[in-house]
Amino acid sequence: MRPRLWPEIGDSQQVRYLATWVAPDDLGTQFPKLELLFSTGAGVDQFDLAALPPRVSLVRMVEPGIVRGMVEYVTHAVLDLHRDMPAYRRAQQQRQWQPLPVRTAADCRVGVLGLGSLGQAVLAQLVALGFDAAGWSRSRRELPGVHCHAGDDEQGAFLARTQILVCLLPLTDATRGVLNEALFAKLPRGASLVHVGRGPQLVAADLLRALDAGQLAEAVLDVTDPEPLPATDPLWRHPRVRITPHIASMTQPRTAARVVIDNLRRHARGEALVGLVDRARGY
Ligand SMILES: NC(=O)c1ccc[n+]([C@@H]2O[C@H](COP(=O)([O-])OP(=O)(O)OC[C@H]3O[C@@H](n4cnc5c(N)ncnc54)[C@H](OP(=O)(O)O)[C@@H]3O)[C@@H](O)[C@H]2O)c1
């Protein structure tokens, strides 16, 4: 097997494995022998799943570098909110010495939407720091030290206990617009949001309304819709919104290459692939 780097791919008719962020519309005809399509990122929402030939297996990136970056970002955001740093930054601008009550992590209820490779790793760190942690996923999960909730029936109870909500859901038809007014209303008054999933999961107008009404206290957004966020967007100027340019975590080539090679070996042996996407579910 000879690896080739785009655009020097030689005869595309012979390519069996492709690692890429985006795919051409005519993938099936351009690469008639393609067996595996690796996303170079953790998500696969950038692909048109319906346009991928059925013979091609789609694999998302599950690698230690992405996981580490996400654990760092979310832990930082949660600790920042838990220790009232947004309020202290505002107080400093006013030159006000204004101590707030110090709460322990055990008194802070953090909830993570999505208990996949990233949600699980984030929760393990939050549990280690002593937070009262909960999670929500489609199917039932059991994670040490985490109050796990599953499905639409248990979403209300999960939200009702969550003071800091972290979104780590994949973007699918079912999760588009999920962070909306109805969901915010189910959180306790004054809850905060850390959004690290995908921009189209958030209804930005609903977030701004919830912040202005005091239903939400703060929002940390690493993803927006569109990206980059236009300079005129009101999210930029809101005093209780912090925005980073989709940098929460990124694929680290060194560790990711090992994972791709391991998956190629698994494929050759006919074994299950790590990160294989279920096209019907969309993630
Ligand atoms: N901001 C960034 O820099 C950045 C970086 C990397 C990834 N991300 C985002 O993070 C997402 C999650 O990554 P991951 O590797 O953890 O994904 P994953 O392993 O596929 O896990 C997805 C989780 O979401 C749950 N889920 C999906 N649809 C749901 C629904 N409709 N209702 C309830 N739960 C649902 C799944 O439930 P089940 O457990 O029942 O399957 C699973 O627990 C990615 O898709 C990407 O969008 C962002």
Side-chain angles (χ1 to χ4, degrees), residues 100-184:
L100 296 167
V102 175
R103 297 169 305 152
T104 65
D107 290 330
C108 180
R109 297 191 300 276
V110 184
V112 178
L113 290 166
L115 299 178
S117 56
L118 299 179
Q120 290 186 26
V122 160
L123 277 161
Q125 182 66 72
L126 295 175
V127 168
L129 285 168
F131 284 99
D132 185 348
W136 181 73
S137 54
R138 203 156 75 148
S139 54
R140 173 117 7 239
R141 303 268 164 176
E142 280 187 28
L143 305 174
V146 179
H147 303 275
C148 290
H149 300 72
D152 292 342
D153 290 350
E154 295 178 21
Q155 198 205 49
F158 163 78
L159 294 171
R161 73 175 306 284
T162 295
Q163 294 165 311
I164 299 177
L165 180 69
V166 179
C167 180
L168 266 169
L169 290 166
L171 178 62
T172 65
D173 290 344
T175 67
R176 193 175 296 275
V178 69
L179 301 174
N180 58 28
E181 191 174 10
L183 180 141
F184 298 146

Side-chain angles (χ1 to χ4, degrees), residues 182-205:
L183 180 141
F184 298 146
K186 292 178 190 157
L187 293 165
R189 191 168 173 78
S192 292
L193 172 69
V194 178
H195 185 25
V196 276
R198 285 286 185 260
Q201 290 163 341
L202 173 69
V203 181

Side-chain angles (χ1 to χ4, degrees), residues 6-7 9 12-13 15 17-32 34 36-38 46-53 55-56 58:
W6 183 270
I9 59 162
S12 70
Q13 308 275 315
V15 172
Y17 318 115
L18 184 63
T20 180
W21 175 241
V22 286
D25 291 341
D26 62 345
L27 187 94
T29 40
Q30 206 178 331
F31 301 99
L34 193 65
L36 299 181
L37 176 61
F38 294 98
Q46 72 280 20
F47 296 116
D48 178 0
L49 300 192
L52 290 183
R55 67 183 150 81
V56 177
L58 177 60

Side-chain angles (χ1 to χ4, degrees), residues 41-86:
V44 292
D45 47 282
Q46 72 280 20
F47 296 116
D48 178 0
L49 300 192
L52 290 183
R55 67 183 150 81
V56 177
S57 295
L58 177 60
V59 184
R60 69 201 170 81
M61 188 57 74
V62 182
E63 65 93 11
I66 293 188
V67 176
R68 208 52 243 158
M70 188 56 79
V71 169
E72 286 177 6
Y73 185 97
V74 174
T75 305
H76 172 268
V78 168
L79 284 171
D80 192 82
L81 292 165
H82 165 57
R83 294 309 308 264
D84 299 310
M85 291 301 151

